[in-house]
Amino acid sequence: MSDEQELGITESKEYNTGEWYAEVVQKADLANYAPEGMSGFIVTRPRAYELWERIQGHLDGLFKDTGVQNAYFPMFIPESYLEQEKDIVEGFDPEVAWVERAGKEELEEPLAVRPTSESIITPYISQWVRSHRDLPLRVNQWVSVVRWEATETKPFFRTKEFLWQEGHTAHATRDDAWAETMRRLDQYEETYEDLLAMPVLRGAKPEHDKFPGADTTTTVEALMPDGKSVQGATSHYLGTSFAEAFDITYTDEDEDSQIAHTTSWGLSWRAIGALIMTHSDDQGLVLPPAIAPDQIVVVPIWQADTKEDVLEYAEGIADDLEDAGIRVELDDRDERNPGFKFNEWELKGVPVRMEIGPNEADDGTATLVHRPDGESAEVDREDIAETVESHFDEVYAKLYAAAEENLTENVREAESRAEILGTIGQHGGYVKAPWCGDEDCETEIKDQIAAEIVMVPLDDEEAEIHHGEECAICGDDAVETAYFAKSY
Amino acid sequence: MSDEQELGITESKEYNTGEWYAEVVQKADLANYAPEGMSGFIVTRPRAYELWERIQGHLDGLFKDTGVQNAYFPMFIPESYLEQEKDIVEGFDPEVAWVERAGKEELEEPLAVRPTSESIITPYISQWVRSHRDLPLRVNQWVSVVRWEATETKPFFRTKEFLWQEGHTAHATRDDAWAETMRRLDQYEETYEDLLAMPVLRGAKPEHDKFPGADTTTTVEALMPDGKSVQGATSHYLGTSFAEAFDITYTDEDEDSQIAHTTSWGLSWRAIGALIMTHSDDQGLVLPPAIAPDQIVVVPIWQADTKEDVLEYAEGIADDLEDAGIRVELDDRDERNPGFKFNEWELKGVPVRMEIGPNEADDGTATLVHRPDGESAEVDREDIAETVESHFDEVYAKLYAAAEENLTENVREAESRAEILGTIGQHGGYVKAPWCGDEDCETEIKDQIAAEIVMVPLDDEEAEIHHGEECAICGDDAVETAYFAKSY
């Protein structure tokens, strides 16, 4: 353990959110910054990579249960491929890293390090699809992508290289492709809620903020404690634009040639950033039990004369927990006192701590302490694994409830420009307002307080609330409900 | 299904091994070649990627059970980092792809796309290790790497980008690091044997063919049916050279500063190539059941009047197999006849086929056919899942036995240059010969028949057989037993 860790977290989540976040990431051993000359890149340490592995395991299971197969496409994309879909190039060109020299040769055509893979995957889908019997066709890859954005590095939120999954599918009809778009959005929502204990809002991006070439870009948005929204994952219904550009056609049951409808959808390690930001506190990392690398730490507390008994008792419990499939760490280090251990495991985000002293060993009990709020309970040795599991459920419920309360309290309505600006300025969070659909109206807000329209609801009922009303900004007819927020 | 598939395999494994291999890869839907301008790259299709996922799952489980944690390091490495370990640069420089332009900027320092990650991982290990209590430290990453070799593309065997895992560890002592080197070599051997049904030979690379900077490079070598050896995975004991170059020191129990010993070890998707090459035949892909995406295909055979009964019976069996965790495909397509289906599933490498006709449905039986040799058996409906599992074991045993026979028959001894050349020229395979340890003697063989020393045994007993004898090539004192072979 390094000396820095012993110092604990010094920044305040409430007052210096950015600095606090950077400190938690560093001191909880989640990530390091990359070497000089590589600003924007991070090294993902095992404790953070394990979070990613659990997100991956959860989501990959959902994908495979619903017909998705994984594949692997080259990390490079020829410049001419990117150009073939003009919309993509306009969207991504400034952000691409290029390989022009390799080995001893200058390449004839520059190769882009993939910023996203529609332009190389779609032509292969086109080769693989011949008949309606080949549809739906669904492939996904878990890879890293590079986007050369010149912004300040924020681990997991803003990095030039990031890990993600990108799914790409082709379907016979618009309905099938739209159902696919929604299926993946549902799975992202479920992953945020069940695994990460984070409620999210579902919606569509405004027309002018869609993925280039998409018919509709849908999103799950999570509210951070500092009042900013995070785009948690996106699922795009691409219509027929990519199928037309790359010629994905199929013969239908009447042997007629038809154009396919495609989708793409992705979730990145930004989910890790949102997870850390949402639950953690001024003592360090806080994690829901389902995703925590260590779910419970057992800390035996002894004097010289009780050591043997206490340790034996603690080891027995740790064995039982492990046998039940619980990820348990027994901290029997001699060179550290219990207080130091408590602080260290709080910093590292272990959701439940078990304290065992001579009294517990004598009485056949144990003391459980919940990481999020310090609530403690004395429990029986008997059925200890079941008891611990139920405390995991309680911890999850507390974390989810706190995040949900933050979300619920921070969706407000506004009916004028002044009200939008005032409400976001004062409270942060989301402000719902009737909107005419014109980008200029968003720009007025953006220019003044850097808030934007992060989504419009997908739910028809809510979307139509404001039909017939006036746009809060320009006074023209409103056609949608816009959610304004500052965002990451 | 595309028209090409209907044609079946046209090349001969025995007479045109290279063309046959390329055809199997293409027609069994394993991989496609990358776009023009990207020679050397391939697209890994779902059926091949699933092979990689199973190799990954198996090996990752072994790693995690023995103290390894996964992490993720940037895909780029600054030129100065590569240069810091001069030996690495000499080894890899000509093979590196460079990023010098990204977004709108020319980079101040070129970034290499990682050809291997010692030079970026080791400096972080150096930061993370302070005391003997931090050792051993073991990290692994599953990533792709790029080596710009200007050779003909051979999917999974020779590609400019390939998937692999690279493990990197630091230890307090030479003994610990050597034990780690052997532990990983054991796990590679086990993976080849248990999962891929391939026996391998274990050995060390000659001094002049080690990984640059390594003290010892160990290898598992697999013999292909065309008599060439494949380097299946390598495990390097790096001594203290990387720890010295990147300053990995730790304080021991007496608070003295010590230098660490490091290892690195990797297995790539070449394992997939070796797997395909070893077991497949002129009908297409052959796979051991443990790794096959579909382990068994149920083909119902009906006439109009028996269709309903046969199908219902087949579905019941398929359900039972699925419930038992067996990966089963029920091929109930109307538009294809049984003969077509048999050919298609043979091409795609399904290890066992179950045929069910009206007789089987009436008698409560099923016919099982083994993919490798067409051996068939009538079995009872009762306990069908157990029966099928035992047939999987038989198929594995057949595949392993055939590969083992090929290996055993093709390790021969030689005592002179003429004998080495003649034996390899006539039979291929491995030729063991006493060797003085001088690279020049290997060069003499290499120049004449493109065979090289692929390994010297690690086992002391065998390694010392030839002590006191003469080098088969130059006649000087022999110090090792060299295994000569042509190689992929």
Side-chain angles (χ1 to χ4, degrees):
Chain A
M1 194 172 2
S2 62
D3 295 326
E4 299 93 287
Q5 279 170 11
E6 299 182 38
L7 298 173
I9 302 295
T10 57
E11 301 285 350
S12 152
K13 182 176 187 180
E14 188 173 354
Y15 299 110
N16 302 318
T17 310
E19 293 79 359
W20 163 85
Y21 176 81
E23 200 184 3
V24 170
V25 165
Q26 189 82 17
K27 292 192 175 170
D29 292 347
L30 298 172
N32 290 154
Y33 294 99
E36 219 181 324
M38 287 187 64
S39 78
F41 291 82
I42 60 169
V43 168
T44 307
R45 300 185 65 173
R47 291 188 81 81
Y49 195 80
E50 199 169 332
L51 301 177
W52 184 241
E53 286 180 309
R54 288 189 199 288
I55 292 171
Q56 190 169 4
H58 183 90
L59 205 46
D60 204 62
L62 295 176
F63 291 162
K64 284 182 176 153
D65 286 346
T66 48
V68 180
Q69 295 184 298
N70 287 330
Y72 186 77
F73 289 77
M75 71 153 78
F76 300 130
I77 302 177
E79 188 175 32
S80 57
Y81 272 61
L82 274 187
E83 277 173 6
Q84 200 165 340
E85 174 62 45
K86 270 291 173 197
D87 285 333
I88 295 181
V89 160
E90 278 172 31
F92 282 117
D93 185 41
E95 300 176 348
V96 169
W98 295 101
V99 171
E100 291 160 309
R101 176 168 68 91
K104 304 237 174 280
E105 45 173 330
E106 299 292 327
L107 305 188
E108 283 181 25
E109 180 178 356
L111 300 177
V113 180
R114 64 174 158 241
T116 181
S117 302
E118 276 78 4
S119 62
I120 191 160
I121 292 182
T122 317
Y124 285 90
I125 292 182
S126 161
Q127 285 181 40
W128 299 338
V129 170
R130 291 276 173 272
S131 127
H132 63 96
R133 282 188 293 267
D134 299 322
L135 297 174
L137 190 151
R138 303 179 176 105
V139 292
N140 176 66
Q141 59 179 5
W142 292 91
V143 295
S144 77
V145 292
V146 171
R147 298 181 188 174
W148 212 266
E149 293 170 339
T151 51
E152 203 190 338
T153 312
K154 193 178 189 82
F156 307 117
F157 280 107
R158 277 196 305 275
T159 49
K160 289 195 176 105
E161 179 187 12
F162 56 89
L163 295 177
W164 80 344
Q165 60 69 216
E166 50 177 320
H168 301 268
T169 70
H171 306 265
T173 67
R174 185 193 193 289
D175 283 354
D176 288 353
W178 180 254
E180 177 79 9
T181 308
M182 288 296 102
R183 184 178 300 119
R184 302 313 159 197
L185 198 68
D186 289 345
Q187 293 176 340
Y188 293 141
E189 182 178 17
E190 192 207 303
T191 301
Y192 271 98
E193 294 192 345
D194 294 355
L195 186 67
L196 309 183
M198 294 170 60
V200 291
L201 295 178
R202 298 154 54 97
K205 290 287 166 188
E207 281 294 304
H208 58 269
D209 198 25
K210 294 184 311 190
F211 177 72
D215 179 282
T216 309
T217 287
T218 67
T219 177
V220 290
E221 298 280 328
L223 185 62
M224 296 296 99
D226 63 355
K228 291 187 190 170
S229 185
V230 169
Q231 178 180 301
T234 50
S235 182
H236 313 289
Y237 168 55
L238 301 173
T240 56
S241 63
F242 281 79
E244 280 162 16
F246 293 100
D247 193 31
I248 309 185
T249 54
Y250 67 93
T251 53
D252 64 16
E253 299 198 0
D254 303 322
E255 296 294 322
D256 292 329
S257 179
Q258 302 285 355
I259 191 85
H261 295 251
T262 68
T263 80
S264 68
W265 25 275
L267 176 142
S268 81
W269 73 15
R270 175 176 280 201
I272 298 175
L275 171 72
I276 298 166
M277 184 74 87
T278 297
H279 303 301
S280 304
D281 61 22
D282 290 354
Q283 276 66 56
L285 188 63
V286 177
L287 295 172
I291 200 173
D294 301 305
Q295 297 179 297
I296 182 167
V297 59
V298 177
V299 181
I301 303 166
W302 63 67
Q303 304 294 335
D305 60 335
T306 56
K307 179 172 175 181
E308 198 176 326
D309 288 346
V310 168
L311 209 49
E312 189 186 334
Y313 182 72
E315 282 166 357
I317 290 183
D319 287 346
D320 282 2
L321 297 178
E322 197 170 344
D323 290 345
I326 293 170
R327 299 187 292 276
V328 56
E329 174 77 25
L330 171 65
D331 188 352
D332 57 1
R333 287 176 293 175
D334 260 324
E335 71 273 16
R336 298 296 187 191
N337 64 45
F340 181 94
K341 293 178 181 177
F342 294 174
N343 289 338
E344 186 184 358
W345 294 112
E346 283 182 1
L347 173 63
K348 290 192 172 173
V350 180
V352 175
R353 175 174 79 230
M354 180 183 287
E355 301 173 7
I356 289 173
N359 292 340
E360 279 88 352
D362 285 346
D363 300 347
T365 62
T367 301
L368 296 181
V369 184
H370 295 184
R371 168 70 180 87
D373 58 3
E375 186 184 338
S376 71
E378 193 177 312
V379 300
D380 283 341
R381 168 73 177 86
E382 217 182 310
D383 299 327
I384 190 70
E386 273 174 58
T387 305
V388 165
E389 292 278 12
S390 77
H391 281 263
F392 288 164
D393 292 343
E394 286 177 37
V395 168
Y396 167 85
K398 282 180 192 178
L399 294 176
Y400 190 87
E404 194 176 34
E405 190 183 334
N406 181 48
L407 177 58
T408 310
E409 283 178 357
N410 286 291
V411 181
R412 299 181 179 83
E413 298 195 18
E415 287 181 9
S416 69
R417 179 195 298 130
E419 221 181 327
I420 297 172
L421 293 171
T423 306
I424 293 181
Q426 190 184 344
H427 302 290
Y430 300 104
V431 172
K432 296 162 64 166
W435 176 47
C436 63
D438 191 332
E439 184 174 1
D440 290 344
C441 289
E442 184 197 31
T443 307
E444 281 196 37
I445 303 295
K446 213 183 234 174
D447 287 349
Q448 292 206 42
I449 54 164
E452 60 193 296
I453 298 174
V454 295
M455 55 167 253
V456 297
L458 282 166
D459 184 331
D460 282 342
E461 222 167 283
E462 192 184 355
E464 288 175 21
I465 284 176
H466 291 291
H467 281 194
E469 297 185 30
E470 290 175 359
C471 173
I473 294 140
C474 69
D476 284 353
D477 285 350
V479 297
E480 295 184 290
T481 302
Y483 277 63
F484 288 87
K486 294 187 181 183
S487 73
Y488 272 91
Chain B
M1 193 172 3
S2 61
D3 295 325
E4 299 93 286
Q5 279 170 12
E6 299 182 39
L7 298 172
I9 303 293
T10 57
E11 300 285 350
S12 152
K13 182 175 187 181
E14 187 173 355
Y15 300 109
N16 302 316
T17 310
E19 292 79 358
W20 163 85
Y21 176 81
E23 199 184 6
V24 170
V25 165
Q26 188 82 15
K27 292 191 176 170
D29 291 346
L30 298 173
N32 289 156
Y33 293 99
E36 217 181 325
M38 288 187 61
S39 78
F41 291 81
I42 60 169
V43 168
T44 308
R45 300 186 66 174
R47 290 188 80 82
Y49 195 80
E50 199 169 332
L51 301 176
W52 184 240
E53 287 182 308
R54 288 189 198 286
I55 291 171
Q56 190 170 1
H58 183 91
L59 205 45
D60 203 62
L62 295 176
F63 290 162
K64 284 182 174 153
D65 286 345
T66 48
V68 180
Q69 295 183 298
N70 288 330
Y72 186 76
F73 289 78
M75 71 153 77
F76 300 130
I77 302 176
E79 187 174 33
S80 57
Y81 272 62
L82 274 186
E83 277 174 5
Q84 201 166 339
E85 172 63 42
K86 270 290 174 199
D87 285 333
I88 296 181
V89 160
E90 278 172 32
F92 282 118
D93 186 42
E95 300 176 348
V96 169
W98 296 100
V99 172
E100 291 160 309
R101 178 168 67 92
K104 303 234 175 282
E105 46 173 331
E106 299 291 326
L107 305 187
E108 284 181 23
E109 180 177 358
L111 300 177
V113 180
R114 63 174 160 243
T116 181
S117 301
E118 276 78 3
S119 62
I120 191 160
I121 291 182
T122 318
Y124 285 91
I125 292 182
S126 162
Q127 285 181 39
W128 299 337
V129 170
R130 292 276 173 271
S131 125
H132 63 96
R133 283 187 291 266
D134 299 322
L135 296 175
L137 191 151
R138 303 179 176 104
V139 292
N140 176 66
Q141 60 179 5
W142 293 91
V143 294
S144 77
V145 292
V146 171
R147 299 182 188 174
W148 212 267
E149 293 170 340
T151 50
E152 205 190 336
T153 312
K154 193 179 189 83
F156 308 116
F157 280 107
R158 277 195 307 274
T159 50
K160 289 195 176 109
E161 179 187 11
F162 55 89
L163 295 176
W164 80 345
Q165 59 69 218
E166 48 177 321
H168 300 268
T169 70
H171 305 265
T173 66
R174 185 192 193 289
D175 282 355
D176 287 353
W178 180 254
E180 177 79 10
T181 309
M182 288 297 102
R183 183 177 301 117
R184 302 312 159 194
L185 198 68
D186 289 346
Q187 292 176 341
Y188 292 141
E189 181 178 17
E190 193 208 303
T191 300
Y192 271 97
E193 293 192 345
D194 293 356
L195 187 67
L196 309 182
M198 293 169 60
V200 290
L201 295 178
R202 298 155 53 97
K205 289 286 167 188
E207 281 294 304
H208 58 270
D209 197 24
K210 294 185 309 191
F211 177 72
D215 179 281
T216 310
T217 287
T218 67
T219 178
V220 289
E221 299 279 328
L223 184 63
M224 297 296 100
D226 62 356
K228 290 188 193 172
S229 184
V230 168
Q231 178 180 300
T234 50
S235 182
H236 312 290
Y237 167 56
L238 301 173
T240 56
S241 63
F242 281 79
E244 281 161 14
F246 293 101
D247 193 30
I248 308 184
T249 54
Y250 67 94
T251 52
D252 64 17
E253 299 198 2
D254 302 322
E255 297 294 320
D256 292 329
S257 179
Q258 303 284 354
I259 191 86
H261 295 250
T262 68
T263 80
S264 68
W265 24 276
L267 175 141
S268 81
W269 73 12
R270 175 176 281 201
I272 297 175
L275 170 72
I276 299 166
M277 185 74 87
T278 298
H279 303 300
S280 305
D281 61 24
D282 290 354
Q283 277 66 56
L285 188 63
V286 177
L287 295 172
I291 199 173
D294 300 305
Q295 297 179 297
I296 182 168
V297 58
V298 177
V299 182
I301 302 166
W302 63 68
Q303 304 295 334
D305 59 335
T306 55
K307 181 174 175 181
E308 198 177 327
D309 289 345
V310 167
L311 210 48
E312 189 186 333
Y313 183 72
E315 282 165 358
I317 290 183
D319 287 347
D320 283 2
L321 296 178
E322 198 170 342
D323 290 346
I326 292 170
R327 299 188 291 277
V328 57
E329 174 77 24
L330 172 66
D331 188 351
D332 56 2
R333 288 177 292 175
D334 260 325
E335 72 274 16
R336 298 297 188 189
N337 63 45
F340 181 93
K341 293 178 182 178
F342 295 174
N343 289 338
E344 186 185 358
W345 295 112
E346 283 183 0
L347 173 62
K348 290 194 171 171
V350 180
V352 175
R353 175 173 80 231
M354 181 183 287
E355 301 174 7
I356 290 174
N359 291 340
E360 279 88 352
D362 285 346
D363 301 346
T365 60
T367 301
L368 296 181
V369 183
H370 295 183
R371 169 69 181 87
D373 57 4
E375 187 184 340
S376 72
E378 192 176 311
V379 301
D380 282 341
R381 169 72 177 86
E382 216 184 308
D383 299 327
I384 191 69
E386 272 173 57
T387 305
V388 165
E389 291 280 11
S390 76
H391 280 263
F392 288 165
D393 292 343
E394 286 177 37
V395 168
Y396 168 86
K398 282 181 191 177
L399 294 177
Y400 190 88
E404 193 176 35
E405 189 182 335
N406 181 49
L407 176 59
T408 310
E409 283 177 357
N410 286 292
V411 181
R412 299 181 179 84
E413 298 195 18
E415 287 180 8
S416 68
R417 179 195 298 130
E419 221 182 327
I420 296 171
L421 294 172
T423 306
I424 293 181
Q426 190 184 345
H427 302 289
Y430 301 104
V431 172
K432 297 162 63 166
W435 177 46
C436 63
D438 192 333
E439 185 175 0
D440 290 346
C441 288
E442 184 197 32
T443 306
E444 279 195 38
I445 303 296
K446 212 182 234 176
D447 288 349
Q448 292 207 43
I449 54 164
E452 62 192 297
I453 298 174
V454 295
M455 54 166 255
V456 299
L458 282 165
D459 184 331
D460 283 342
E461 220 168 285
E462 192 184 355
E464 286 174 22
I465 283 176
H466 290 293
H467 281 195
E469 296 186 29
E470 289 174 2
C471 172
I473 294 141
C474 70
D476 286 352
D477 285 351
V479 297
E480 296 183 289
T481 303
Y483 277 62
F484 289 87
K486 295 185 181 184
S487 73
Y488 272 91

